[in-house]
Amino acid sequence: MKEEYGLFVWPCSVILAEYVWQQRLRFYGISVVELGAGTSLPGLVAAKVGADVTLTDSANRLEVLDNMRSVCDLNNLKCKVIGLTWGVWDESIFSLHPKIILGADVLYDTTAFDDLFATVKFLLESSPQSVFITTYHNRSGHHLIEFLMMKWGLKCVKLLDGFSFLPSYKAAGLSGNIQLAEIALSCESPDQR
């Protein structure tokens, strides 16, 4: 994936940021990690509403990581920024124990899906009752996502049309078949979360 893709605000980011805003009480005072953050819009909104946010992107995408730091500074936010490459088990991942993991449009490259889901599962296991909230373009149906969730011992606890909660004036400039999913470990029941 080209580095500049991490320097563009994608529609999935706008939708996930709006969801964070609408669910802001849920985010106040908790630990949040945004995977593949790029321009970091959802993570920045989470930080603005009081979450302790760690923004991550691939460790070898230095321009993107530098941009994330600059955006935090411009918004007077104290987010941690770390390089975290999906499927790579270096020391940075072991210190993370998020209650909520965010990922906007991280389901774009099928060759990276297993690394992404392995990382998500590790983070969910490191913090009991945590959840992964992701928005994605439903390019080929939800079947591949369902297969990967089963493969990695995860389950979808909420699935929404990304435009169903977006105010019309915000939706006007966006397009696509965008879904929002909340994903948890399949061994947890809803009352455990």
Side-chain angles (χ1 to χ4, degrees):
M1 180 74 30
K2 294 182 180 177
E3 188 150 312
E4 62 266 17
Y5 289 163
L7 300 173
F8 182 81
V9 179
W10 296 97
C12 285
S13 293
V14 174
I15 290 172
L16 186 53
E18 177 65 28
Y19 187 75
V20 170
W21 174 251
Q22 290 183 19
Q23 299 277 317
R24 59 189 167 273
L25 295 177
R26 180 181 180 190
F27 284 82
Y28 182 78
I30 65 161
S31 175
V32 172
V33 169
E34 185 177 0
L35 298 176
T39 57
S40 313
L41 185 59
L44 295 173
V45 172
K48 282 281 191 189
V49 300
D52 176 26
V53 176
T54 300
L55 303 171
T56 73
D57 212 304
S58 178
N60 58 4
R61 298 178 76 191
L62 301 179
E63 184 180 0
V64 173
L65 295 169
D66 287 342
N67 185 66
M68 290 162 53
R69 289 181 190 94
S70 296
V71 170
C72 289
D73 290 343
L74 287 169
N75 286 282
N76 296 314
L77 295 171
K78 302 292 182 210
C79 300
K80 293 177 218 79
V81 175
I82 63 170
L84 181 107
T85 303
W86 304 335
V88 175
W89 311 112
D90 59 18
E91 67 182 271
S92 62
I93 196 168
F94 294 105
S95 64
L96 300 174
H97 303 284
K99 280 302 190 189
I100 296 180
I101 305 159
L102 298 174
D105 211 5
V106 292
L107 296 165
Y108 57 85
D109 178 4
T110 56
T111 64
F113 282 7
D114 278 319
D115 288 337
L116 169 65
F117 276 86
T119 301
V120 167
K121 182 171 185 176
F122 177 84
L123 291 171
L124 290 172
E125 288 176 336
S126 76
S127 187
Q129 294 133 31
S130 56
V131 66
F132 173 47
I133 305 173
T134 185
T135 49
Y136 60 93
H137 281 273
N138 194 357
R139 295 174 179 98
S140 58
H142 192 68
H143 305 298
L144 179 57
I145 311 290
E146 289 173 345
F147 168 78
L148 287 163
M149 285 188 293
M150 287 179 55
K151 176 181 177 180
W152 287 99
L154 306 173
K155 66 180 176 185
C156 184
V157 294
K158 183 184 282 187
L159 182 64
L160 300 172
D161 178 322
F163 292 96
S164 66
F165 56 86
L166 198 65
S168 59
Y169 69 93
K170 291 182 180 178
L174 304 176
S175 63
N177 180 7
I178 298 174
Q179 302 291 309
L180 180 137
E182 292 198 21
I183 298 170
L185 292 172
S186 61
C187 59
E188 290 181 356
S189 64
D191 57 307
Q192 289 179 303
R193 295 189 320 105

